[in-house]
Amino acid sequence: MPSFNRRSFLQLGLGATVLGAVGCSPAKPASKQADSHTFTIYWNAGHGYQAYKEVIDQFGKDHDLQMNWQKFQWPDLTTKLTADFRSGNVPDLVEEVSAGTGTQYGLAGNVLALDDFAKDDKAFGFPDDFLDQAVVARQYEGKTYSIPLHLTANGLLFYNKAMIDTPPTTWDEFLEAARSNTKDKISGCALNSDASYAAPFYNQQRVDFSNVGAKQFMMPDDAALKALQFMQDLVYADKVSPAPVATTDYSGPQKLFSAKRAAMFVSGPWDIGPIRQGSPDIELGVAVPLTGAVQSAAMAGSGLMIPSKAKDPKLSWELITKLAAVKVELAATKEAGMSMPRKSWAADPSVTADPNLAVIAKSLAVVAKQDIALSASGKAAQINELWKKAYQQMIIQHAPVGPTLDDFRKQAGAAL
């Protein structure tokens, strides 16, 4: 089984922000453990698809369980889960924000390695029927801490075909298209307040977010400066993007686009469904990631993990196998446009014939390499908070890019 040494881990997390795990301090007694007939699931609010609801509802009927499906924005889910780990009163199943989350929680002893479950459940097809990049990103020293639920790329170019005939392919073309479509109350593009959305831009300048072994971040520094300066200039010099508003909700650009107030934005497959459902009159175009020094995207995608203190891990595993079944993946894709990690999903005719999914497949082929050592270090949460602060200073508050990046590097290095 593939594994990594301690020299690699985070940029996947910046595709969909990796958040930290609590350490292995003794947990308080779970005096108020949930009733044995209640099955609690923590889930991302943006992924509450009908396809998953049907599986969860049926699972409750089959096992005579009260299904407590709680949905959160990612930061709120992490805050709640962290508190639960400390108290020992945990949910039965959790959607993890990205591969780094499961690994960090697993190394801290808070979630289970799932290899034995998979070994005893050949019918599920893990890992053989799952795309390698989704699997190896969730493994560390021979153990797998979560099962891929989605496999996506952050860096797709969303554009309104009524405003843009031919999608831009380079940074220069992107800026030109943004300028030509900025008029009246319409912005040519819209940047995200979430720091993880900077990853496609700095990946496209061959920037590595972290090198834990060398205690380095956002290197090479000249390429990082170019990437973040380009983003800041879109707001303040070129004035083609509104300044993002600090929030835990990453859907701001999608909402501007759906309201026809932005011609383009960079995101991932999770925004296809909301646009289709909320703005069916928009002729949506989805294009491959831009090319800066290179064409690149940031790998993203959530997974499913089982807390170590879950009441019945075997029952939790059974639900994982149902939620990640091929037919459920295909139903979720049809419903929301989400891309999935199974090889048999990728080979299905409904997928191969879909033009947007073909774009996603091309984008997955250019995702940047992952550095997995940061989550293994136990410092991912702290360093991600430092990066979030630095990003918002540069993009929202218009702080000088060079000094802000230097400050982040110093603080992040000191944290290690």
Side-chain angles (χ1 to χ4, degrees), residues 271-285:
D271 277 327
I272 294 175
I275 294 169
R276 284 176 174 170
Q277 295 160 14
S279 307
D281 59 322
I282 289 180
E283 191 176 0
L284 172 63

Side-chain angles (χ1 to χ4, degrees), residues 158-160 163-164 177 181 186-189 257 261-265:
F158 288 70
Y159 66 100
N160 187 325
M163 301 178 186
I164 298 172
N181 283 280
I186 300 174
S187 297
C189 63
F257 182 87
R261 292 174 53 198
M264 300 181 292
F265 70 107

Side-chain angles (χ1 to χ4, degrees), residues 43 46-54 69 150 270 332 335-336 338:
W43 208 258
H47 297 162
Y49 306 148
Q50 181 65 25
Y52 296 144
K53 182 180 184 301
E54 291 175 2
W69 192 21
H150 301 152
W270 49 87
E335 176 183 348
M338 183 60 76

Side-chain angles (χ1 to χ4, degrees), residues 292-361:
V294 294
Q295 185 186 38
S296 185
M299 189 189 293
S302 64
L304 298 171
M305 56 188 181
I306 302 174
S308 300
K309 295 183 181 295
K311 295 187 299 295
D312 188 343
K314 289 184 179 180
L315 197 62
S316 299
W317 172 259
E318 182 182 339
L319 183 54
I320 286 179
T321 65
K322 294 182 181 299
L323 289 166
V326 180
K327 65 178 182 180
V328 179
E329 286 190 344
L330 291 168
T333 298
K334 182 178 181 180
E335 176 183 348
M338 183 60 76
S339 53
M340 301 295 180
R342 278 187 179 265
K343 295 175 183 176
S344 51
W345 170 88
D348 190 89
S350 66
V351 173
T352 57
D354 187 294
N356 286 340
L357 294 174
V359 168
I360 295 167

Side-chain angles (χ1 to χ4, degrees), residues 3 29 31 63 79 153 201 213 260 263 308 341 364 366 384 388-389 391 411:
S3 63
S31 58
H63 293 279
T79 299
F201 289 95
K260 300 180 181 179
S308 300
L364 288 171
V366 297
N384 276 312
K388 173 184 174 182
K389 178 182 176 183
Y391 175 81
Q411 295 172 35

Side-chain angles (χ1 to χ4, degrees), residues 22-45:
V22 257
C24 292
S25 56
K28 297 178 182 178
S31 58
K32 295 184 178 180
Q33 184 74 9
D35 181 87
S36 60
H37 292 291
T38 299
F39 191 101
T40 299
I41 305 167
Y42 289 179
W43 208 258
N44 175 256

